[in-house]
Amino acid sequence: MRRVWLLLAALLAGTPAAQADDLIGVRHYAFVGDEDTLLDIARRYDVGYVEMRLANPDVDPWLPGEGRAVLVPADHVLPPGTRRGIVINLAELRLYYFPRDGLPVSFPIGIGREGYETPTGRTTVARKREHPQWVPTASERAENPELPTLVPAGPDNPMGDYALYLGWSGYAIHGTNKPFSIGRRGSHGCIRMYPEDVARLYPLIARGTPVTVIDQPYKLGWHDGELYVEVHPPQHAADVVEEGDMPTADADLDLVAPVLEAAGKDVVRVDWQRVEKARTEQNGMPLAITRRSAEPAVAQTP
């Protein structure tokens, strides 16, 4: 009964979002070089390791095969909610920056591992620092008592060359001397970026820039008159992907209500088989779930 009411509400609603453009980037293919791994290709095209694995489940990440074409998942539905300042979506291991003027940009990130999860919520950039020193936290020193009390700037500094310190004590967005950790869960809660990405982002960010951290496994958005859905596995499943397996469908994820709300009067064009495909595959790539013709929707029910 609840779904019937949702369907009626959607049919009566308008679709102001249908004129928006919520999709950025372009998906494309890249050819594997002589000594390339998926990690090499991921960095070359500014994507993370897990999203590269999800897009190429049948490719050996260490020996992908010289000359082979691999899919680069460089298109993304913009995150929901307030699109201002920095928005980090932990589920997709990505950071978005929304400047006051100009188009949004997105970067892959590394986040906190199990037991040291990056927190969600709202904060700001409290201060900035080029060539930061690294002072290991108490938890890091407890885990590894051999750590020094302070690591100066330089190639051995795990914070890289740039750091944006958040209003949350002990957390920062920073570079890394381990670029292979991007697109993975491996930090003590900080947000890591490729060295070249943080160098690009750093000068754009002022103190006080709002930072919103969410953990949203699915996103919905409009592009060129079509509604897209993008579904990611939950955070813990990223570890499964790293180990070589693909995630299993999340039985608790119900996309019916959010799709109905996003589609509005265009709900008659929704292809629910595509919605289910996105829900079960969780490959992190945008999928158009509306049809240009409403005819096939006669037999379609959520």
Side-chain angles (χ1 to χ4, degrees):
M1 181 60 70
R2 179 173 177 269
R3 290 187 177 182
V4 173
W5 282 111
L6 286 169
L7 180 59
L8 290 173
L11 289 169
L12 293 172
T15 55
Q19 304 306 315
D21 193 345
D22 301 313
L23 198 67
I24 62 171
V26 178
R27 191 180 313 174
H28 58 93
Y29 283 89
F31 290 97
V32 178
D34 181 20
E35 298 182 358
D36 280 340
T37 67
L38 280 190
L39 283 167
D40 298 315
I41 297 170
R43 184 174 184 184
R44 187 177 305 146
Y45 292 98
D46 204 28
V47 297
Y49 177 68
V50 166
E51 59 185 337
M52 197 72 187
R53 286 284 293 123
L54 288 170
N56 299 277
D58 299 324
V59 175
D60 186 322
W62 309 113
L63 295 170
E66 183 181 2
R68 182 172 188 168
V70 293
L71 186 58
V72 179
D75 52 336
H76 313 283
V77 174
L78 294 173
T82 302
R83 294 172 179 175
R84 188 166 64 95
I86 293 172
V87 178
I88 293 166
N89 188 6
L90 301 177
E92 63 174 313
L93 293 153
R94 276 207 159 254
L95 177 153
Y96 294 83
Y97 173 55
F98 296 89
R100 290 188 177 182
D101 299 307
L103 299 175
V105 290
S106 180
F107 305 98
I109 56 173
I111 62 173
R113 66 178 183 267
E114 185 178 1
Y116 297 96
E117 286 83 358
T118 303
T120 58
R122 294 184 178 182
T123 183
T124 61
V125 174
R127 58 190 177 94
K128 304 171 57 174
R129 181 77 181 269
E130 292 188 43
H131 307 297
Q133 297 177 330
W134 178 49
V135 179
T137 63
S139 64
E140 288 167 330
R141 288 182 57 78
E143 187 176 289
N144 183 4
E146 296 182 2
L147 284 175
T149 57
L150 183 147
V151 177
D156 295 327
N157 189 318
M159 296 192 73
D161 292 330
Y162 301 93
L164 301 168
Y165 295 93
L166 303 182
W168 297 330
S169 178
Y171 293 94
I173 301 167
H174 59 78
T176 180
N177 61 350
K178 296 179 179 179
F180 57 83
S181 68
I182 302 305
R184 294 168 144 174
R185 299 202 311 161
S187 78
H188 272 244
C190 282
I191 296 97
R192 298 173 178 172
M193 300 181 69
Y194 284 131
E196 57 272 23
D197 284 347
V198 73
R200 179 183 170 193
L201 179 67
Y202 184 87
L204 304 177
I205 305 300
R207 287 180 58 187
T209 297
V211 178
T212 304
V213 184
I214 60 176
D215 186 12
Q216 181 70 29
Y218 69 87
K219 298 178 296 178
L220 288 150
W222 291 90
H223 172 69
D224 195 22
E226 303 300 327
L227 182 60
Y228 285 75
V229 66
E230 178 181 321
V231 182
H232 295 263
Q235 279 192 64
H236 64 83
D239 302 335
V240 174
V241 176
E242 272 201 58
E243 293 166 2
D245 294 322
M246 289 296 108
T248 56
D250 184 355
D252 295 327
L253 180 59
D254 186 354
L255 294 176
V256 173
V259 167
L260 289 173
E261 181 179 359
K265 289 182 178 179
D266 284 315
V267 67
V268 293
R269 297 200 293 124
V270 172
D271 184 330
W272 292 99
Q273 290 183 345
R274 293 184 190 175
V275 175
E276 180 62 12
K277 173 181 171 67
R279 189 192 73 82
T280 55
E281 289 187 354
Q282 304 175 92
N283 64 16
M285 294 186 288
L287 176 66
I289 57 172
T290 47
R291 295 181 179 273
R292 293 190 180 276
S293 170
E295 292 179 5
V298 174
Q300 299 267 339
T301 55

